[in-house]
Amino acid sequence: MPELPEMETYKTWLASLIGGRTITNAMIQREKSINIPAGKFMKAVTNQKIQSISRRAKYLIFQLENGSCLLLHLMLGGWMFFGKEEDKPDRTIQIQLSFGDRHLFFIGLRLGYLHLLTPEAVQAAFEKIGPEPLDPHFTLAAFQQRMQQRRGILKTVLTNQEVLAGIGNRYSDEMLWHAQLRPDQKAGHLDNQQLARLYESIRFILHKGIEQGGYMEHPLHVGDGKTGRYQMYVHGRENEPCPRCSSPIRKEEISSHKTYFCPRCQY
């Protein structure tokens, strides 16, 4: 599932590709991926200019000229491609937004969606989402207080969107490895030094993920040389040597998540 770095990468790319441009047509191949009848959706978005694109947690918000918003959550398996008809991937397209002879294709939206909402409805959808971990106002002290109030294990707490926004299964493994903390220990038992280490690791991993275009294997457009350059330290690397101590990376299921960590240098 795309996490904060992937959605931030999409936001940056799309702002340059379609920001300020007008949607000339829309096609809906899977009506379950939208929240209103297809005909009504297409009529509402056609001839609307994309005023801005922003991100909150794992969502993208496309602000339209008429004041309404398109709220995107890619969920598991969702991705996008922007380009001409002849360049699109040989995959089933659930939604297509056209900008003249180029199109934004939404792919793999079996669980994901693109909903047309009012700004108020968008804000309501974000009511229970926690703070953005890279927000300059989200200080170490605020992080420590937030974590000390939690009784769950670190893996579960980090991926809880009500605690912190945008962190999922993959990057939580990376952060805990970088901070040298086991994923199965209690969040509320960490001392201030451990929490400070985790806070810095969260920010380091997210910044690195964004700088390297996240982990997504599919390019957003022809010639896209940035998307997907992030290489995981531990996630998905079972039995490979730990980059820090060379011990084999272990995979365990923790809170229904496949979790990767080093049993030697994470403690």
Side-chain angles (χ1 to χ4, degrees):
M1 179 185 295
E3 300 179 32
L4 189 156
E6 288 70 45
M7 300 313 287
E8 187 70 19
T9 300
Y10 274 141
K11 184 199 80 173
T12 302
W13 269 127
L14 291 174
S16 65
L17 293 169
I18 64 172
R21 297 187 64 179
T22 297
I23 301 171
T24 55
N25 195 15
M27 293 178 61
I28 309 299
Q29 303 284 5
R30 185 177 186 272
E31 199 154 341
K32 288 184 178 179
S33 298
I34 57 176
N35 61 323
I36 59 176
K40 187 176 180 181
F41 183 96
M42 292 186 288
K43 184 177 179 180
V45 303
T46 301
N47 297 321
Q48 286 297 310
K49 183 184 293 185
I50 304 288
Q51 295 281 64
S52 64
I53 303 171
S54 57
R55 181 194 58 78
R56 177 75 169 104
K58 301 176 187 178
Y59 296 86
L60 286 188
I61 307 99
F62 300 82
Q63 180 70 52
L64 303 182
E65 189 176 13
N66 63 4
S68 59
C69 302
L70 290 170
L71 181 65
L72 172 68
H73 199 313
L74 290 173
M75 301 292 283
L76 185 64
W79 53 290
M80 291 180 281
F81 182 82
F82 181 78
K84 294 184 177 182
E85 183 72 23
E86 58 266 29
D87 296 325
K88 72 177 182 181
D90 185 19
R91 301 290 291 272
T92 301
I93 309 297
Q94 285 76 45
I95 302 173
Q96 175 180 320
L97 299 180
S98 299
F99 301 83
D101 65 345
R102 286 174 170 78
H103 318 277
L104 181 58
F105 302 100
F106 296 84
I107 305 163
L109 296 185
R110 294 180 299 277
L111 299 174
Y113 54 84
L114 184 69
H115 286 179
L116 182 67
L117 300 171
T118 65
E120 293 76 18
V122 170
Q123 290 308 308
F126 297 155
E127 276 183 2
K128 294 185 178 180
I129 293 181
E132 292 284 333
L134 295 182
D135 187 329
H137 301 293
F138 185 59
T139 63
L140 172 59
F143 174 73
Q144 290 172 329
Q145 181 181 24
R146 203 165 188 84
M147 295 294 286
Q148 288 166 347
Q149 294 171 347
R150 296 288 164 170
R151 296 182 180 180
I153 61 173
L154 279 174
K155 175 73 174 185
T156 304
V157 170
L158 283 183
T159 56
N160 184 343
Q161 297 303 291
E162 294 186 13
V163 179
L164 292 174
I167 299 171
N169 191 41
R170 289 174 180 260
Y171 287 102
S172 60
D173 286 352
E174 300 290 281
M175 295 161 183
L176 291 169
W177 175 84
H178 191 268
Q180 296 183 254
L181 296 170
R182 281 185 64 94
D184 55 359
Q185 64 177 301
K186 296 284 187 178
H189 292 174
L190 299 185
D191 59 32
N192 283 338
Q193 185 178 19
Q194 290 172 311
L195 286 171
R197 202 162 72 230
L198 179 56
Y199 175 79
E200 292 303 325
S201 292
I202 289 170
R203 295 172 68 83
F204 172 82
I205 292 295
L206 290 178
H207 277 302
K208 184 176 181 181
I210 293 168
E211 288 169 3
Q212 297 185 352
Y215 74 85
M216 297 284 282
E217 62 182 13
H218 305 291
L220 179 60
H221 58 87
V222 174
D224 177 3
K226 178 180 180 180
T227 300
R229 291 191 296 110
Y230 182 84
Q231 298 296 310
M232 297 284 163
Y233 289 110
V234 292
H235 188 88
R237 297 188 177 276
E238 183 182 13
N239 294 325
E240 293 184 27
C242 169
R244 185 165 45 224
C245 73
S246 298
S247 295
I249 297 300
R250 181 184 298 174
K251 180 180 77 172
E252 291 185 6
E253 188 162 306
I254 298 177
S255 299
S256 301
H257 291 292
K258 292 179 181 178
T259 303
Y260 299 81
F261 65 98
C262 176
R264 180 180 179 185
C265 66
Q266 288 178 248
Y267 48 86

